[in-house]
Amino acid sequence: MLKETSTNFCSSPFQQLIFCRLRTHQWCFMLFNVALFHILLFGADLAEEYFLQAIPTTYMDAKVLRAREKARILDMSSMKTNISQAYVLSNPEACSNREVFLLVLIFSSPQNLDRRSAIRKTWANVTHVQGYTTLVLFVLGKPSSATTQVEVIKESDQQQDLIQGIFLDTPENQTMKVKRAVEWTVTFCPKARFVFKVDEEMFANLQSLVEYLLNLRAHPEDIYLGRVIHPNVPNKEFHNGSFTSVRKHPGEYYPDYCSATALVISQDVARKIYVTSREVPPSLPPGLFMSVCARAAGVVPIHSSRFSGGRRIWYNRCCYKYIFTSTVSETRQLLREWKEMKGNEDCTLLETYYGLVSCKIMTYLDGLKESKVKAVQNEHFSN
């Protein structure tokens, strides 16, 4: 009889509540695992962005002050009268009669007309964000083919959005392309508040980027923003299209730098890079070249995990509405993903969370797969 009473008591709502409370440690264990999962998933990016990034303009000396003063009083009037010495296509009126908030300079190869057309139809087709103007231009060098050059001239006449330097567009001349892009900016678009340098292989979310820049708490100066790379490479050769000995860099270590695939600088930093670039060897890779120039004027890079660097972020609509950049090499893929992004409503907070988690996991798994492939290739090569 007592046994039956005990059984009935255990089945009562009160007993069920006690039963659940007795298993609170299990809920704690589950919550701990959920928290650990998020720490492992997002912890590295958060640590880099909020704890490990350098504070802009943390040092000053006489040389830095002189560079900053030269940048402040920079006069480019002589450059305007000698345009043909540096550019085949200069498009000097592109910024005239407009106040540009974000100048987007897309580094493109002359022969990639189809890619430029796709970019114009997709993410670059954004001229205003919250009433602020964005201006998109393509930066090219000269092709080796005369036929391609004729096509570039025709494209320029139709689109009015090309800047072309007099140098050959080769992997070894990408730093020269950076120098010409910075020179053009401070000469013909000196009132653009920010400059976004991005490669044509990238997808870029201009709306998300502009909103981020508008919300900068600090005064928008000394901004050198992107996915920061910490090389810590002394006395070794650095590869990015060409080899460059560290002995050509006037320091013991290479400085931290933003991945050259996509980065943002403020107008004052563009002027500072232009001033200091005369003393920096152009043989350095583009991203490292910009960092050395910026550092000579007291500017250090700021990390944001919303830049992908050279990685391909696994596509998710709500994830892509949050990040700034991702590598999308195939033109058809870019067109397809953009169509899906624009064909849906805005993402809710929960959808954004799910999108970030899913694309982060898939990107991580892709990275593991790529690492294994490279390991096999290296092992095969060594044998």
Side-chain angles (χ1 to χ4, degrees):
M1 185 69 180
L2 288 172
K3 185 176 181 180
E4 182 180 353
T5 304
S6 176
T7 302
N8 292 337
F9 177 76
C10 289
S11 63
S12 68
F14 179 74
Q15 181 64 17
Q16 290 176 7
L17 182 61
I18 294 177
F19 180 81
C20 292
R21 286 181 176 175
L22 289 175
R23 286 161 177 76
T24 301
H25 66 282
Q26 295 178 334
W27 285 102
C28 292
F29 180 73
M30 291 172 61
L31 290 174
F32 170 79
N33 280 279
V34 170
L36 181 61
F37 167 77
H38 285 80
I39 290 172
L40 293 174
L41 193 63
F42 298 107
D45 286 339
L46 290 173
E48 284 182 333
E49 188 155 356
Y50 296 106
F51 300 110
L52 299 181
Q53 71 179 20
I55 300 174
T57 319
T58 55
Y59 63 94
M60 286 287 178
D61 57 28
K63 187 175 181 180
V64 167
L65 290 174
R66 284 196 299 270
R68 296 171 78 89
E69 179 61 19
K70 287 180 181 179
R72 188 184 67 81
I73 62 174
L74 185 62
D75 182 8
M76 300 299 294
S77 56
S78 60
M79 181 64 210
K80 293 180 179 180
T81 60
N82 296 284
I83 300 176
S84 60
Q85 295 182 8
Y87 303 94
V88 179
L89 300 170
S90 59
N91 204 357
E93 303 300 323
C95 288
S96 300
N97 303 319
R98 68 173 85 185
E99 190 167 331
V100 177
F101 178 81
L102 181 65
L103 173 63
V104 183
L105 299 179
I106 304 173
F107 279 38
S108 178
S109 297
Q111 66 274 14
N112 291 345
L113 172 60
D114 289 343
R115 184 67 179 194
R116 290 192 290 275
S117 298
I119 291 173
R120 292 186 185 104
K121 295 174 184 177
T122 56
W123 63 264
N125 190 24
V126 176
T127 57
H128 293 84
V129 178
Q130 297 186 13
Y132 291 86
T133 301
T134 61
L135 174 63
V136 177
L137 299 172
F138 293 89
V139 182
L140 294 72
K142 290 173 60 178
S144 56
S145 167
T147 303
T148 302
Q149 180 60 26
V150 171
E151 293 175 352
V152 168
I153 297 295
K154 182 180 179 181
E155 179 187 359
S156 179
D157 292 338
Q158 293 174 345
Q159 302 294 336
Q160 298 294 313
D161 62 358
L162 301 185
I163 302 168
Q164 186 180 37
I166 60 172
F167 55 90
L168 282 177
D169 202 314
T170 62
E172 295 78 15
N173 283 340
Q174 294 308 296
T175 298
M176 178 59 69
K177 187 182 285 191
V178 167
K179 292 186 68 173
R180 286 289 174 254
V182 170
E183 182 180 60
W184 188 94
T185 298
V186 300
T187 304
F188 300 111
C189 205
K191 294 184 179 180
R193 197 174 302 181
F194 296 99
V195 183
F196 178 34
K197 182 271 177 193
V198 58
D199 289 347
E200 64 182 349
E201 295 83 9
M202 308 298 289
F203 157 82
N205 188 336
L206 296 185
Q207 180 168 340
S208 179
L209 179 58
V210 169
E211 289 172 353
Y212 175 88
L213 294 173
L214 286 171
N215 290 326
L216 286 178
R217 296 179 181 178
H219 196 273
E221 291 186 352
D222 290 323
I223 301 300
Y224 171 32
L225 176 71
R227 175 164 283 276
V228 174
I229 298 173
H230 312 280
N232 281 338
V233 181
N235 301 320
K236 291 185 180 180
E237 300 223 331
F238 189 96
H239 181 265
N240 187 359
S242 62
F243 288 96
T244 303
S245 171
V246 73
R247 287 189 292 271
K248 296 180 181 178
H249 171 61
E252 184 180 357
Y253 289 87
Y254 283 120
D256 292 348
Y257 64 96
C258 290
S259 170
T261 55
L263 57 87
V264 174
I265 57 176
S266 50
Q267 176 69 224
D268 65 292
V269 173
R271 297 167 71 90
K272 291 163 185 170
I273 288 176
Y274 177 76
V275 166
T276 58
S277 64
R278 302 165 189 171
E279 300 178 4
V280 178
S283 55
L284 290 173
L288 192 55
F289 174 83
M290 293 188 73
S291 179
V292 173
C293 293
R295 189 173 183 83
V299 180
V300 294
I302 308 168
H303 177 79
S304 173
S305 59
R306 294 168 74 175
F307 288 93
S308 67
R311 296 184 304 170
R312 158 73 176 163
I313 303 298
W314 188 272
Y315 176 75
N316 177 284
R317 179 176 65 90
C318 295
C319 176
Y320 268 48
K321 288 192 174 185
Y322 175 80
I323 63 173
F324 296 149
T325 63
S326 174
T327 298
V328 183
S329 300
E330 295 184 11
T331 300
R332 286 181 298 177
Q333 188 176 26
L334 176 63
L335 293 168
R336 183 175 64 252
E337 292 177 355
W338 179 257
K339 182 179 180 180
E340 182 180 338
M341 279 186 64
K342 303 307 292 182
N344 291 277
E345 298 178 355
D346 291 338
C347 296
T348 64
L349 185 61
L350 184 61
E351 287 174 330
T352 301
Y353 164 78
Y354 169 76
L356 288 172
V357 170
S358 61
C359 75
K360 188 80 174 178
I361 292 173
M362 296 307 295
T363 300
Y364 174 74
L365 293 176
D366 269 3
L368 288 179
K369 188 186 301 182
E370 184 179 349
S371 298
K372 289 181 180 179
V373 171
K374 288 182 177 179
V376 171
Q377 290 175 343
N378 291 337
E379 184 178 354
H380 175 75
F381 180 77
S382 61
N383 293 334

